[in-house]
Structures are given as C-alpha cells and as structure tokens.
Amino acid sequence: MPVYVLRRLAQTLLVLFVTSALVFGGLYLVGDPVEILVNPQADQEERARTAAALGLDRPALEQYGIFLKGAFTGDLGKSFVFGRPALQVILERMPATLELAFLAMLMSLGLGIPLGLYAGLRPHGFAARTIMAGSILGFSLPTFWVGLLLIMVFAVQLGWLPSTGRGPTTELLGLQISILTWEGLRYALLPALNLALFKLSLIIRLTRAQVREQSLLDYMRFARAKGLPRRRVIGVHLLKNILIPLITVIGLELGSVIAFAVVTETIFAWPGMGKLVIDSIFQLDRPVVVAYLLVTVFMFILINLLVDLLYSLLDPRVRISEAKG
Amino acid sequence: MSAVLPATVPAPQTPFRRFLEEFFDSKLATLGFALLAAIVLVALFAPFIAPHNPYDLAKLDLMDSRLAPGEQGLGGASYVLGTDGQGRDMLSAILYGLRVSLYVGVVSGIIALTLGALTGVLAAYAGGRVEQFVMRVVDIQLGFPAILVALILLAVLGRGVDKIIIALVCVQWAYYARTARSAALVERGKEYIEAARGLGLSGTRIVLRHLLPNALPPLIVVGTVQVAHAIALEATLSFLGLGLPSTEPSLGLLIANGYEYLMSGRYWISFYPGLALLATILAINLVGDQLRDVLNPRLAK
Amino acid sequence: MTALLQVEGLVTEYSGREGRLRAVDGVDFSLARGEVLGLVGESGSGKSVTGLSIMGLVDAPGRVAGGSVKFDGRELVGLAEEDLRRLRGKRIAMIFQDPMMTLNPVLSIETQMLETVLAHDAVPRAEARRRAIEALGLVGIASPEERLRQYPHQFSGGMRQRVVIAIALLHRPDVIIADEPTTALDVTVQGQILYEMQRLVRETGAALLWITHDLAVVAGLADRVAVMYAGRIVEQGSAAEVLDAPLHPYTRGLLDSVPAANAAGGRLRQIPGMTPSLAHLPPGCAFRERCGHADGACSSVPEITLRAARQVRCHHPL
Amino acid sequence: MRLRVLLAGLALALPLQAQELNIGLSTPVTTMDPHFHNLTPNNSIAKHIFETLVGQDDQQALKPGLAESWKALDDTTWEIKLRKNVRWHDGSPFTAEDVLATLKRIPNVPNSPASFAIYTRPIADAKATDPHTVVLQTRAPHPLLPNDLATIHIISAKMAGMGTPDYNSGKAVNGTGPYRFGEYVSGDRVVLVANDKYYGARPAFAKVRFRMITNSAARVAALLAGDVQMIEAVPTADIARLKKDARVALASTVSNRVIYLHMDSGRERNSPFVTDAAGKPMEANPLRDPRVRKAISKMIDRNAIASRIMEGEARPAGQFLPETFHGTSKRLSPEKYDPDGAKTLLAAAGYPGVFGLTLHTPNNRYINDEKIAQAVAQFLTRGGIPTKVDAMPSAVFFSRGSKLEFSFLLAGWGAGTGENSSPLRSLVATFDRSLGNGAANRGRFSDAGVDAMIHTALTTIDDTKRGLMLAAATDKALGELTGVIPLHYEVSTWGVKKGLAYKARVDQYTLAHEVRMTK
C-alpha cells in the first residue's frame, strides 16, 4: 500500500505541474492584468510602473520560469490585488468553503440516500414518484436562480434565516469554523442547501438505481430466506452494496461541490475561496487563480486517493486485487 | 431467478418493435416522450411558430421593454408572455432559446459521450499502462472544477455557441469515461469476455459488441443527468457573464437575464424560460429513465 | 406419515404488460417429515416460483393469489410478515441455485452466519460463533474457524454452496427447499454436494423439497417426484414408479431426452416444439401442441386422476 | 490578520442596536493600506479612518480637510496651513511631519497594483516651514494640486515605515478620521468603531460593519431582510419596487461617471470591426468622418435608454460631466433623437446604408453596460447601420480595447478629481506617452486644436480662466467633432432603512459618518 500511495503522489506532482502551465498560459492569453488593476485615471507612466512592480513587463516564459522557481520552494507568488502571498490568501478562505461543501455534502447524503432508498424500494408508490419528480427539479433549475429564491423565501419573506454572509466563527485546530455554533450554522444553512440541491438529486437517483438493481439479486432474497428482519436486510445487506459504488461518486462530487461553491458563494456573499477565485479571474489575478487551482487539484487528488482507500476498506474484493496489483 | 417468461419464447416481433413496446409500456415515459418530441419540434420550427424574431435588432422596440404578459406594446403588438428588458417578446425568445439550449446540450452531450465512452471502454479493455494513463488524464480533468475550466476556457475563447460546446465537452467527457470504464471493467472480469477472447474474437468486436453495450445503461443515466447539467451549466456561465452571446439567448441566458428582475416582481422574464427549461429537462429524464430500464438486461422481467 | 408441509391449490400470479400470468396454477403436494420430494420441470415451468411462494418471498409484481400452504398445521398464506420471518431460516430454509450470487459479496462469512443465528435465537455471540463453526464442519469445510473470517470471493463455487447449506442448516430446519442448488456447479462438485445433502437430511431428519430440471439428480435422491409443466403438476408419485413407468407424455419426453437413456451414438430424442410462453398458453391441456397423443379431448383442461399412489393430469395417460 | 471572532460573533447574535450600522458594499475591499490600491471601495473605507488635506463635499466641491487653507504662492509653489487641534487615534498630535512622511511613502509601496503616485508625481519638493505649515513645490504649473491632495490619505509618520501586511492586520492603521479600525476579514467584512475623540462632528454610530455583498439582488434582499440597514449601488431593476416599500428610503444623485461610445477615428483604413452592409470587411473607415459620428449620435434615443434600460436611474448626457462641475460647457445639451437628421448626415458623408459595425462592451463594469450596448445596436440597426454587440468581461475588454482591437466601443468615465480636465485629458487628448495624455483614448481621436486648449488649461492656475478653456475644449471635441458620443450620466443610488438618511454623493463613496438618524 505505501508504494501505491507514493506512486500516486508522484503522479500528483506531474498533474500539478501540467495544471500550472495550462492555467498560467490560459490566463496570460485572456488579457493584461494591468488594464484592470490600475485606476482608470492612471497615465501611461503609472501603467508601466504597475507592470514592472508586478513583474508583468517580462516575457511570458520568463514569468512562468520565475513562478516555477518559486513554486519549488512553496512560494506561489504574490496576489496582484492583495499584495500578499497567493497561497496565504487562498488558505485563509479555504475553511469557509470547506465547511460549506462539507455541510452540503452531509445534507445531500443524509437526505439523498434515505430518499433514494425509499424510492427504490417502493418504486411505484406516490411518494416515490414525488421524490423522483423533485429530484428532476433539483438539477434542472440553475443554482443561482434557486439561491435567490431561497433568500427571498427564507430570509426576506419568512425571516427565519439570515440572507447572506457567514456567521461567527470559532477556532478548531487553528481553523476558523462557523458551523459549530447554532448561530453560525444558521448562516450556513441556506447556502449549503443551495449547494446541496444538485448533488441531492444526483444521489437520490443513483441510490434508487442501485437499489432497483441490487434488490433483484439473489443475495437479497437469501438474506430474507434466512429470516433476517427487514431492517437488517436493507440496512446492512442492501446498503453496504449500494454504498460501494456511491463512494466513488461521492468522492467525485465532493470535488465538484467545492468548485461549484463559486456560484453559491457569490450569491450568498460567503467569504470562501470560490468567491475569491471568481473575483480573481475577473481581475486577472493570476497568482491567486493558479494557486487556487493547484490547491483544489491537489485536494481533489487527495480525496480520490482517500476514496480508493475507503473503497478497498469497504469492498473485500478490491482489497485482494489491490494486493496483487 | 429462473424467469417467469421462458427465455426460449418465440420472438413474436423484431427486437426493435419489442423495444418500442416495452418503452411505451410506461405511461409516464410515453408522456415524457411526447413532451420531448413536442419540444424538439417546437425548437426545430421556432422560426415559423414564433410570433416575432427575437434576434432581429431592427424589430425590437425599447419602448416595449418589460411589458407584463398579455400587455400591448406601443406598436400594437401584444405579447402573450410579456417582454424582457430589451423589448424582446418572451414567447419568441423562449422558442428560439429552446433551440439553442437543446442544441448546446445535446451536441456537447453526444460528443462528450462518444469521446468519453470510447476512451473509458478502451482503457478498461486495454488495461495496464494504457488504462493507468487514461485514468490519470481523466483524474486531472475531473480534478479541474468544471465550472472553472469553462470559465477560463471561455475567457480565452470568447462567447459563442461553438465555444461553449467546446467548453462543455471539455468538462464532461471525463465523467463518461470514468463511468464507461468502471462498467466495462465489471464486464471485462466476466467469463463471457474471457470466452470471447478465447474464441479469438477481435478486440474491436469485443469492445463494440460486448463491453460497450453493457456500459450503456450507466452511461445513459449519466447522460441524462449530464445533458441537464450542461444546460444548467450554460445558464450559470451566462449568469457569470460568459457563455452565449446575449443577442441570441438560450433558455439559460434568458433565466440569467431575468434573474435581476426576480426581486422587482417582474417574474415573467425568468419564470417562463425557467418553466420551459424544467419541462425540457423533465422530458429528457423521463425518456432517459425508461431507456435505462428497458435497456438494462438485469431489470428486464 | 403425517404431512409436515401441505400445499393445496396454490396459485401465484404475476401482473405485467400482457395482463395477469399464472406462474403457479393450482399446485397440490405434500411433504412428510424426513421425506425428499423432487419437483421437476423445465425452466419457466413455475417450480422455482412454487418454492418462493411457500417461503412467502414472491415479490411484486407477483403475488400468491390463492390456495393454501400449511406448515405443521399452520396456514402460511396470508400470515403476517413478522410471523413468516420467524419461520424462515428457522424452520423452513431455502437454498438457491447460484452460490456465486447467494452470498452477499461484501460481508464476511462470519457476519452472514452469525446474523442468521441471532435473527432467531437470542444467544451470546460466542455461542452463535460456535454454532456457525459447527455448521461449517457439518458440511465438510476444513478449518472452519479460519474460513469463517473470509469473504465469499475467497471460496470456490462448491465451497460457497456448502456455506449456503451450512447457513440453511444452522437452525436444524424442519423443511429445506433447495432450488437447483447443484445446477451451477461442476459435475464432480455436484456429486459431492448431492452426497452431503443426502447425508445431512438423513442426519437431521429434515424434509427436503428438491427443485430441479435434472431427472438424473432426482433419481438418486428423491423418495417421491412431482413433474411440473406450465404452472401445473402433471404427474406425481414415488420416484421409482414415475421414473420407471411415467404416465404423462411429458414425463416420458423428459426421460427420453436424458442422454444416458439414449443408446450411445444414437440420435438424442427431444420433445418437439418449444416451451410455450405463459402468456400464450393453448387452451385446454398446455402440453397438447407438443404431445403425440393429443386429440380433441385435450382442448379441455385435464383433471388430476389417481392411479394407486400416483397422480396424473392427462386425458390419455400412457 | 487577526480575527476578533468571538466579539464579532456575539455582536451578530444580539438584536440590532441603535448604535450599530450594517452596510452592504457592492465591491470587495481589498486592503486596509490607504496607499496600496487606488480603488473606489478601498478609498471609501479609508475615508472613515484617514483624512485628506483637502476634503470634498457630496458634489466634489473642495473644502478644508486636515488643511485649514491652501493657496498658490506662485505658479509652482503652494502653501498649506494645517489644522492644529488634531490627534491621531493613538493620541499623538498631527503635524507637518506626518504629511511629509505620507508624500514620501506613496510612490514606494511595494507591489502596489494601482498606486497614488499619479497624484504626488507633480510635486517636486515638500517641506515643513513650521509644525503646521507645509510648502509644496511642483515641477510645472499644476492647478489641480488641491484636487489631487483630496485623494491622498494622510498617515502618521510613526506608521510610515510599516508595510501593507501591517495595515491589513490593523497594527499600522492609525488615522485621524471619525472611525477607528475594528476588524478586517478579507472578502467578508470591515468593522469600524467610533473615534470618540474626533475633532469634528461625532459619528452617529458606535460601530459600523461593512459587509461585502457583491451580488446586487442579494444585497437588496439583505436590506429587505433587515440584515443590513444600508446598501450602496441599488440595482436599477429594483428601484421602482423599493420606492414603494415603506421599510426603506432611497438616496440618489447624478454621479460623475458618464457612459460614452468611442469610435475608431485613428485608422484611415481597415478598422477591424467596420464591415460593409453584408458583413464583409470594409477598407474605408467611415468613423473617421465627424459627420458619421454625429449621425450615430443622432440615431440614439437617450431618453429611451434612460427610462427603459436604466429605469430612470440615468440622465441623458451631452458632455463628460454634469453642468454643475467645474470646467463644463454651458452650451452642450444631450443630442436630440433625430433619425431623419442622421440619415441626411450619413448621406452627406457618402455612407448611407453601406456599412455595419460591431459594438464592443464590457458586461460587468458599468450599470447595465451590456444592455445599453444592445439598445444602442438596436437604434443603429434601425437607423441603417447594422450593428452587432460583443460583450465580454471587463478584464478582456480593457486589454483588447487598449490594444486598439475594436472599432466601436462602449465605456464609462468617472472624473475622480471632480474636474472636466480629467476626461478631456484621458479620452480625447492625442495619445502621448511622454505627456501622459490620452491614456484611455481607445478611439485615438486626435485634434491639434483640442490638444492645445487642454494643454493651456492644465497650466492655468486661475480657476475661472481654466474653466472657460476646458469648456471651450469640450465644445470643440464633443460638439463640433463628436470625438466621443456621451450617452448618459449614471445615477448612484443608496438604499437605507426608514429612519436613516444619507446624502447621495457624486463620487459614489459610501461614508458611514455621513449617515444621519432622522428620528
């Protein structure tokens, strides 16, 4: 197993390198950051000064070379906008996004699996059809639209939850976390729900499809023939078999939830890194965008690795083949 | 379980007719199909059905902007679903928008599915280094958050239907590849593939006749979700100011344009396009669900 | 012998696109303590559904639509699910055809055995474990303690079926319904399992309903034989009599198509025609279109007639 | 950056107090260093904590700030008298040393993406003649020095050596203004607390929390939900509804920002987005002809755009700045909607119905920018010039625009100094790197007469004379030559909870110390 992990980490480095080159090149092509950073009143001299101060007066390849050199020592450059190390800017915003993604994932799993189970076990009932219709609603409505609707209903009309922003935070292992207190959680509920909606639909559908397939298999019948209570047949025999394929999806989706936070954070004024990166793209703050992508890609690969490990933990069949390979 | 219907039953009709019969067995699926057919027809013939041409700038009148549904404009024209901020007839815009959205969603979906399914199945078939390499590329692609790839790509490419299709294919193919590979992987391990290899069947034949069909049901599930996702993603990109040119709006873009009017009570500017989007995605999913059930040999009764 | 399991007029229907189908259409038989009954038929004849109907395991869109199943004097049709559950695995056990599919792939053998013990008896885990090990030993699995910790995929097909049998035997059930448990296995393994089953039934005194399409298996195992065709039992009697001198043309046909019964090098005899779809059964005797003896009388459904200790459902018994 | 989490958290949990004000900002504040990034939201926050020598009222008229008075001793020498009773937040007195330290720091802020050096560059020398008098020497006659000084936030000499990180953490933030630094969470909020020892009017709120809510619909929702009591940049779509809402009051004023069209009047041939009527590239560049530009101007119904697209939140423009500003023309009024006149002019120029255009516009920079462009295209297409719209994010737009990749573009200009010389010099003066002229002249309009007038005006110290010259330059550049086509002035609107009042400002700053309680 350690060899396997090491090999994956080595591949990760390669991936990160490719990522950085692509994004660097891409953003270089989009436009000149100086144009967007300087005050409109600035004259040509001030523009030249800005370009020089940010190292933008050098050829693109040289700029990338400088970036690479720094990257090897863990320095991903300074944000044009904030004038601070890009990595620091990102890491500062990361807990906010992670807690939102975590909460959203929790919601979509906590609701999606039971609902999907139900819809799969009683596929022809009224409730199941309602659940499935609802799930279609969940991924056909654009996130931004639903987001505003949630704000209008729960904050403006009903006044139950705060409309925007992040609540008070408490420190946990050196990170600022807001969802540990009820007050903080109140702020996180709407954005997390907004973010969860799409995944919730996906999980419901996947779970249902899995349930429908698995419940026809003989092991399910045998479990009942053994006289096991229904609770155990579904809760252990069925669920464990469903969870295995779901784990892969969940791993994938966690990454995409983090990325999709971009939209939700914009609407709910959630100070996470998604909102930061949108601003950074529009301001051509290249160091931040590159650092963000490196961080998320790294995180994603890490999640993937964890999923693979978890997978082999859950599925005895994989454990063996992994040992062989 | 030994089947209730004996497998040796004489086929009373061609497989295709059987497929049709099974497909239309469900009322819901029939409804979905009818809805989808209607939507596709409406989209195809939008220029003949639509009361106005929403793309013709010379025909738009700013003075008719933001009319409520049913209100009459200055020129005497009446607008069943109202007008948007530019004085564009919403009904016509929705009809034309359907066209754009379907085109973008379906074309990008088909290209991505073909590309993804082929790479995924080939990876599963080839195994070893090829598989490792392909799956690593897929991981890289999936590691890039879809919306960000699209954002940067579109920032570089600019706006346009072709550009958004490129962006959507780029962010979607990996999902299909991954799904196809894992489905094919399960099949690859099965005895009949060993047998097929043993029989000396060619690689292409095994891939095309055995691996691909078995990978199809999960691909269709992913596909129906992804087409819907593509249409919604396109709307989101438009919301963020990228995507399609605003003078030729898709449904998503119409919703995005109407977004700012939501708070002000001018609901129709984004509500009706939203309804159309919902109907489209609903229809696609109803059809997709039934397709999956009918095509899935394990679910067949 | 008093009947432990008494099945009378059992009807199981499936509702589908083509209307309601009777997969089991008025089946009667009984099973006595310690007896082995072979239920024989082609695939699709309804024999598996009969087994499931007894267990109360028929899933939607199917349902037991009529008749009665009495177990030890107690009516099972219409019994509350919880009461049925208490019987399943405890007093009536079932073994399925494909051992590769019967065991849950992601749970260890230990989990799958212990849960069966604990579902019916409130005993400490250690006791449940002891019973599991004992059951594994009983079916001839070497070093059972070690194998207990393993997962299904670490077992060969034959070994898995032994595990399944061990699970079925955990509570020393009164009735075991075995649905083609050897069909999916290699011939040599098949022989071993058959031998074990026979031995175990004799040791535990359980009654056995052995569902199969293989007459050769029945010949060596069963005390009595019932032959099913298109949802109905067409012939029933002691194994020796039915196999030696079948009364129903269908039984005859089945016997003739067993390779051993044919002279070496000679042409294999077959039943003409195909098994009909339940949806397109001919009116009257279901076998009539494939039967050499069919005439006008066969357009009405034949009643069961008794001949000594044998039953046959035919207008023209051989 | 240290987060005063618990404190803020408790405050959020409490019911709203009269002494607390929550404001929803439309753009993120990126730093607490008043000299790091010359950006409206940053300057707006800085104005609470720091002060400038010269102040500006809500109409950008100059008024005393930290300086009691200023006067030009000669063409290049200015004497500035400082206010005497001012103390820094840390208690130390404010003196001329602080001013000198500030002027020295401004050009030397490392990594600054947009420095304030454009305002200090004209100053050749600065010295203190006594603790409360500063004498500034300019390189050339520079009449706009007081306007420039109105943008420079004075920091205490003690903190001049501190870097931007120290400001962001709050360690170095030491001002003289009505509010003191409380907390800054990047991308989320800025919290300020009242400076009770302020020499001027005491601020009405003990604590002000600025929250960055960039999405405009969400900002309105936050106001309606009561999460904030004030928002800036109320979106035009919601104005009508908010006007009717008894819970809120609106404050608005015409701003100093004009939305205009720039045309490629530089290239003689092969302007990239000028096509013939069929959409094929065209060699001739009709946009060089002032009559064509005038015709385009006449095709546009500014009132329709103001009322329909902007929902009344704009005023049709005839020049760069509303007439109340210094140096504006008294003769120019918004071009009348006159499609027939336009046709006549086009015919006279020899281009009736022979060419088409693509109008490039940013889609996230100005209020309704993309929609205005669509409306313009609508009018032009109907007027006989088939026009397409290509909208893009401002990052792409300005990069391409400055590389002269467009033929016809929509942009906006806010006169930061509050004087007409700013747009004249940047938009219509001939592009000249050494003079710093025409930096935003993306149409490369050039006219020697206009250049000469601007140059003279910029070296004339006398305000009245300079004003007349600027007005004359405007008449020529816009009225006569139509160097750019002004469309409208944006109206800036703030929304406040009933019971509060805000005097809307032309410079679009949101200043908490200008918010009053009405009951």
Side-chain angles (χ1 to χ4, degrees), chain B residues 57-58 60-63 65-66 85-86 88 155 159 239 241-242 246-247 259-261 263-264 266, chain D residues 215 220-221 224 237-238 241 304 308-309 311 363 370-371 374-375 377-379 381-382 387 391 393:
Chain B
L57 286 176
L60 298 186
D61 194 338
L62 208 51
M63 297 322 285
S65 64
R66 304 190 314 269
Q86 299 286 335
R88 206 177 271 124
R159 287 178 158 197
F239 169 72
L242 298 155
S246 52
T247 42
Y259 172 83
E260 62 190 282
Y261 294 106
M263 300 275 304
S264 69
R266 277 157 315 201
Chain D
N215 185 273
V220 174
L224 290 176
D238 295 319
R241 175 185 161 179
R308 308 307 306 182
I309 303 282
E311 309 211 24
N363 59 11
E370 185 179 356
K371 291 189 188 150
Q374 281 191 56
Q378 219 182 89
F379 285 122
T381 305
R382 279 197 296 195
T387 303

Side-chain angles (χ1 to χ4, degrees), chain C residues 68-88:
Chain C
S68 121
V69 176
K70 281 213 177 74
F71 170 72
D72 209 3
R74 195 171 173 197
E75 179 60 58
L76 297 189
V77 175
L79 195 63
E81 173 63 23
E82 177 56 22
D83 295 329
L84 264 177
R85 182 192 73 73
R86 281 181 216 274
L87 290 177
R88 281 189 214 128

Side-chain angles (χ1 to χ4, degrees), chain A residues 84 92 171 176, chain D residues 1-5 165 168-171 181-186 189:
Chain A
R84 294 192 290 139
E92 210 173 83
E171 193 169 306
Q176 295 298 330
Chain D
M1 173 176 26
R2 257 185 62 227
L3 309 172
R4 295 179 194 176
V5 180
N168 288 335
S169 70
K171 197 168 107 191
F181 176 82
E183 181 194 11
Y184 166 56
V185 183
S186 171
R189 61 179 170 248

Side-chain angles (χ1 to χ4, degrees), chain A residues 128-174:
Chain A
R129 282 174 202 274
T130 313
I131 291 170
M132 295 319 287
S135 80
I136 288 178
L137 216 65
F139 57 61
S140 48
L141 295 176
T143 314
F144 61 88
W145 206 76
V146 177
L148 188 61
L149 232 56
L150 288 176
I151 294 178
M152 277 167 66
V153 172
F154 292 102
V156 178
Q157 295 299 328
L158 299 172
W160 291 351
L161 294 167
S163 61
T164 48
R166 189 177 182 216
T169 56
T170 42
E171 193 169 306
L172 181 78
L173 307 171

